[in-house]
Amino acid sequence: AFIRASSDPDGDPPALDDAAFRKWLNKTADGKTPERRSELEKQGRATVGKVLAEYVALWKAWAIAELPRRKTIALYGDLFTLRHQLAAEETARPHELIWGIGISSRKLTFERAEFDFEYPLLTQAAEIALDEMTMSLEIRPRSTETRVELDAFVACSVPGATEVERAAREYLVRNKEHPVTPFDPASFTDVLKLAASNLDSFGTYRETTEENEPVPPAGEHLVVTDSWVLLSRPRSNN
């Protein structure tokens, strides 16, 4: 009764509910001497502290196992909802699911206003399939060509953006027998390095070394990473 615990594995660990403890102490020590009250408080806090230490260890062990489970449940829910949205909005507000590779960041300027750019340079249209026997979801690429996403650089008049876009498209056409996939760095490393070095003379290509490593914040110079992301976006008419 004196322990406050969260059901969120990403929340704060269990702690003493001081209000509940003091309510108990006031009731228990009612009519007793200050010395006896102090003794009861000391004994009570020691007892609760011992139980709390044991429970915190159990809670942390539960949280470590529960956190990835909760993330998986949330991801499944998002993808399941998105699957229905992609089908329902086919004519009204068409969206598409893409698998973006080569998430890049840089500060760009458009109409004299600076903004932070963070977007994948290569995208592959994807689809979500449902196994009605097991209810498992499968994300797989659609049979469309990989797109080069340099519209922002072209719109912001970054020198060489048009040429880099053309060179990247030609590279992908020449290597159709080796399609782009996030699970094979050899399928995209060369084209990402091409973009990094030609869109910015101080641009860099960076390989992620840790799982879930964040993309570098947008700065003065372009940073192209080998990270990938799944996202939905409005589908263009062309």
Side-chain angles (χ1 to χ4, degrees), residues 2 13-14 21 31-32 37 48 63 98 116 119-120 126 136-137 145 158 163 176 182 193 195 237:
F2 306 138
F21 180 81
K32 295 182 171 57
R37 177 187 173 89
V48 174
I98 65 163
D116 292 345
Y119 207 74
S136 62
L137 294 174
E145 295 182 357
V158 174
E163 290 76 10
K176 272 190 174 182
K193 287 181 176 179
N237 293 328

Side-chain angles (χ1 to χ4, degrees), residues 2-116:
F2 306 138
I3 296 176
R4 183 176 61 253
S6 171
S7 60
D8 181 3
D10 205 24
D12 294 329
L16 172 68
D17 188 340
D18 200 62
F21 180 81
R22 289 198 171 279
K23 183 178 180 181
W24 166 85
L25 180 63
N26 291 334
K27 182 178 180 180
T28 304
D30 184 34
K32 295 182 171 57
T33 64
E35 292 78 11
R36 180 54 180 163
R37 177 187 173 89
S38 178
E39 183 180 344
L40 286 171
E41 181 176 5
K42 184 178 179 180
Q43 292 174 349
R45 287 189 180 277
T47 301
V48 174
K50 182 180 179 181
V51 175
L52 180 61
E54 295 174 353
Y55 185 62
V56 166
L58 292 172
W59 187 91
K60 287 183 176 180
W62 164 81
I64 291 174
E66 184 68 14
L67 190 59
R69 185 179 295 114
R70 295 283 182 95
K71 288 184 176 180
T72 302
I73 292 171
L75 177 60
Y76 182 94
D78 289 343
L79 290 173
F80 193 86
T81 301
L82 179 60
R83 179 177 178 271
H84 284 281
Q85 290 176 345
L86 292 174
E89 298 174 351
E90 190 67 30
T91 55
R93 292 179 299 163
H95 273 62
E96 64 179 350
L97 175 68
I98 65 163
W99 201 317
I101 303 171
I103 305 177
S104 311
S105 60
R106 180 187 173 181
K107 290 187 178 295
L108 295 177
T109 302
F110 183 73
E111 295 182 350
R112 300 182 181 180
E114 187 177 72
F115 67 96
D116 292 345

Side-chain angles (χ1 to χ4, degrees), residues 36-231:
R36 180 54 180 163
R37 177 187 173 89
S38 178
E39 183 180 344
L40 286 171
E41 181 176 5
K42 184 178 179 180
Q43 292 174 349
R45 287 189 180 277
T47 301
V48 174
K50 182 180 179 181
V51 175
L52 180 61
E54 295 174 353
Y55 185 62
V56 166
L58 292 172
W59 187 91
K60 287 183 176 180
W62 164 81
I64 291 174
E66 184 68 14
L67 190 59
R69 185 179 295 114
R70 295 283 182 95
K71 288 184 176 180
T72 302
I73 292 171
L75 177 60
Y76 182 94
D78 289 343
L79 290 173
F80 193 86
T81 301
L82 179 60
R83 179 177 178 271
H84 284 281
Q85 290 176 345
L86 292 174
E89 298 174 351
E90 190 67 30
T91 55
R93 292 179 299 163
H95 273 62
E96 64 179 350
L97 175 68
I98 65 163
W99 201 317
I101 303 171
I103 305 177
S104 311
S105 60
R106 180 187 173 181
K107 290 187 178 295
L108 295 177
T109 302
F110 183 73
E111 295 182 350
R112 300 182 181 180
E114 187 177 72
F115 67 96
D116 292 345
F117 169 84
E118 183 180 306
Y119 207 74
L121 296 187
L122 299 175
T123 59
Q124 177 63 50
E127 62 183 5
I128 306 173
L130 175 68
D131 186 328
E132 296 186 357
M133 294 293 293
T134 64
M135 297 303 290
S136 62
L137 294 174
E138 181 183 62
I139 299 173
R140 55 195 181 202
R142 293 171 54 195
S143 56
T144 60
E145 295 182 357
T146 301
R147 287 186 54 178
V148 181
E149 303 282 352
L150 296 184
D151 292 356
F153 293 91
V154 175
C156 294
S157 302
V158 174
T162 303
E163 290 76 10
V164 171
E165 184 175 29
R166 185 183 305 113
R169 287 176 177 175
E170 291 174 354
Y171 176 89
L172 295 176
V173 170
R174 289 197 307 269
N175 293 272
K176 272 190 174 182
E177 73 285 351
H178 193 187
V180 173
T181 166
F183 307 114
D184 181 10
S187 68
F188 59 79
T189 298
D190 289 344
V191 70
L192 292 182
K193 287 181 176 179
L194 168 73
S197 59
N198 288 276
L199 290 172
D200 187 338
S201 56
F202 293 97
T204 57
Y205 174 72
R206 187 177 303 178
E207 295 180 354
T208 54
T209 57
E210 298 179 5
E211 186 177 356
N212 297 324
E213 181 177 341
V215 175
E220 181 181 357
H221 299 293
L222 175 65
V223 177
V224 180
T225 70
D226 61 353
S227 303
W228 57 264
V229 64
L230 284 170
L231 59 91

